[in-house]
Amino acid sequence: MTQIIALTNQKGGVGKTTTAVNLAASLAALDRRVLLVDLDPQGHATMGSGVDKHSLEGSVLDLLLGEKSAPEVMLDCPTAGYSLLPGNGDLTAAEVELLDRAEGRERSLTEALGSVAGEYDVVLIDCPPSLNMLTVNALTAADGVLIPLQCEFYALEGLSALLDTVEQIKDSVNPDLAIYGILRTMFDGRNSLTRDVSKQLRDYFGEALLKTTIPRNVRVAEAPSHGLPVTKYARFSRGSQAHRVLAKELIRRLSL
């Protein structure tokens, strides 16, 4: 059964897109059929997958507006091992167009994925770093949410707002939406603030806090400039190994 997972956090710079790309590649390396959806107008997941976001013939925008079907837009990323629904700056137009719709605007992505989602074991949606209509579409389409989080004070404040949004989505359009996990990124266990925030997360969220942590690692930062997941760019680096461990933990947790 396909699992649709939205990776979201309203705070930017927490490693959300990095997690999306490297988790997609790691799951694909473990023989899962993976589709990555770039729903962020920055298009970083597209670029990190080795696709030029400036020369797309079709993007997620076309799906949301009903102008093209998913198979018409989908790209294969053979080096990374997964399929991609690419995105770029054109997605800012989708936000405006969707807000103008009287009905069904939050279900546009759900309908767009309907024809292809069943062909994959996992669909990962890289959301924009804000709680806008694109993010609402992702949360409406998703079975669960994966929240990358940097262990710092302001991250906890943003997490509260995100959890409120998840509850609103559950109450209105997607009652089965679940929190699949909270992932600590840019993790440095030597830092006292990191340890304090980790304890708070563990005390409050319990099993929802994933055991895997993603460390700060220069190879992870370098990989996107080469259009590759770190699992392909530097497969033996600490960052690569951490994302593979994350993939295995999610496989166990979600029975993928």
Side-chain angles (χ1 to χ4, degrees):
M1 180 179 175
T2 305
Q3 288 285 344
I4 301 178
I5 305 173
L7 288 91
T8 184
N9 191 321
Q10 70 172 25
K11 187 178 185 302
V14 298
K16 173 182 56 60
T17 297
T18 298
T19 300
V21 169
N22 291 305
L23 177 58
S26 297
L27 287 167
L30 293 169
D31 298 323
R32 268 57 180 186
R33 299 167 299 164
V34 181
L35 172 63
L36 176 60
V37 182
D38 189 352
L39 204 61
D40 187 342
Q42 296 177 96
H44 289 169
T46 297
M47 297 291 280
S49 300
V51 175
D52 184 0
K53 67 180 180 181
H54 301 294
S55 59
L56 298 176
E57 295 183 4
S59 73
V60 177
L61 171 66
D62 299 299
L63 301 186
L64 294 175
L65 301 185
E67 296 175 357
K68 290 186 178 182
S69 66
E72 292 178 292
V73 175
M74 192 178 301
L75 301 173
D76 285 326
C77 301
T79 302
Y82 52 77
S83 299
L84 173 72
L85 287 175
N88 57 19
D90 293 345
L91 274 168
T92 54
E95 174 74 9
V96 177
E97 292 278 351
L98 291 173
L99 285 172
D100 285 341
R101 291 186 182 179
E103 295 181 0
R105 57 189 179 185
E106 71 280 350
R107 296 188 180 276
S108 299
L109 183 61
T110 305
E111 295 171 1
L113 292 176
S115 62
V116 296
E119 300 174 15
Y120 296 90
D121 299 308
V122 186
V123 177
L124 299 176
I125 306 173
D126 183 33
C127 298
S130 58
L131 299 177
N132 58 20
M133 186 51 63
L134 293 173
T135 302
V136 169
N137 263 264
L139 296 179
T140 302
D143 298 302
V145 181
L146 178 61
I147 305 172
L149 183 75
Q150 192 175 351
C151 290
E152 59 180 30
F153 173 75
Y154 290 119
L156 292 176
E157 186 175 328
L159 179 59
S160 177
L162 174 57
L163 294 176
D164 287 343
T165 300
V166 169
E167 288 302 315
Q168 292 171 17
I169 295 294
K170 290 176 67 174
D171 291 340
S172 56
V173 292
N174 189 0
D176 297 324
L177 183 64
I179 301 294
Y180 278 172
I182 295 170
L183 173 68
R184 290 163 289 174
T185 60
M186 306 178 200
F187 189 84
D188 183 355
R190 299 168 299 178
N191 185 298
S192 60
L193 178 59
T194 295
R195 295 195 300 271
D196 290 344
V197 172
S198 285
K199 183 179 185 305
Q200 292 179 51
L201 290 170
R202 192 176 298 108
D203 290 344
Y204 188 82
F205 292 103
E207 291 299 314
L209 181 65
L210 296 173
K211 293 181 174 61
T212 306
T213 60
I214 306 299
R216 288 187 181 275
N217 181 253
V218 66
R219 298 302 185 194
V220 173
E222 291 173 349
S225 66
H226 296 269
L228 291 169
V230 71
T231 53
K232 300 294 183 180
Y233 172 68
R235 59 179 301 188
F236 297 113
S237 66
R238 290 174 62 234
S240 175
Q241 292 172 2
H243 283 97
R244 293 184 184 191
V245 172
L246 171 63
K248 291 177 180 178
E249 182 174 0
L250 286 176
I251 286 172
R252 293 192 301 271
R253 180 175 288 236
L254 303 178
S255 301
L256 296 176

